Amino acid sequence: MRLYKCQVCNYVHDEEAPEKCPKCGAPREKFNDLSEEQITLVERSVYSNSLHMELYTLLQQMSEIADAGIEDDLDPGCVAIFKKTEIFSELMKRMIQAELEIHMKKGKWGKG
Ligand SMILES: [Zn+2]
């Protein structure tokens, strides 16, 4: 497995560097051949990154359900649960964002 990264926009391509970057249109010369170590980082993190994104989507749905529950305002017990759910899902979403930012900075990102 070889990976090529566009130095202009960070798009990652496999097999062979493309004639032109599909994302930004940069020519082939702008693609760097990633090292074995860089490829290992990208490949090892694909599954974990997809789990983070899946979880993020569910947390987003939780947040929307909680908002609907708060607005429905049936009784204080319900609203308390929905407000805690809202706080929890926002907290977890921010943690996931922070973790994925670390992954990107460490090169644990690039294809899925
Ligand atoms: Zn590009």
Side-chain angles (χ1 to χ4, degrees):
M1 163 65 77
R2 301 184 78 167
L3 292 177
Y4 301 87
K5 189 173 205 169
C6 175
Q7 298 309 298
V8 176
C9 75
N10 288 337
Y11 170 83
V12 173
H13 204 82
D14 51 16
E15 306 303 327
E16 215 177 304
E19 202 65 49
K20 270 173 70 176
C21 175
K23 181 167 178 279
C24 75
R28 177 175 294 187
E29 310 86 77
K30 293 289 181 187
F31 278 80
N32 268 8
D33 199 348
L34 296 187
S35 69
E36 281 299 319
E37 196 182 351
Q38 289 170 316
I39 291 171
T40 303
L41 283 178
V42 170
E43 297 210 305
R44 175 59 190 89
S45 58
V46 168
Y47 179 59
S48 181
N49 288 337
S50 75
L51 291 177
H52 278 297
M53 291 188 283
E54 198 177 336
L55 192 54
Y56 189 94
T57 302
L58 291 173
L59 288 162
Q60 186 64 44
Q61 288 171 10
M62 277 174 66
S63 187
E64 287 163 15
I65 291 167
D67 284 345
I70 291 165
E71 193 170 325
D72 183 44
D73 196 15
L74 179 64
D75 57 51
C78 294
V79 172
I81 288 169
F82 293 132
K83 281 188 173 166
K84 282 183 181 172
T85 302
E86 175 64 32
I87 291 164
F88 171 79
S89 55
E90 283 303 316
L91 178 69
M92 295 313 297
K93 277 163 53 187
R94 286 177 197 191
M95 285 193 203
I96 289 169
Q97 287 168 331
E99 187 61 25
L100 289 178
E101 188 176 354
I102 289 169
H103 286 199
M104 290 175 210
K105 284 177 180 161
K106 287 181 173 173
K108 294 177 176 178
W109 190 265
K111 75 189 221 356

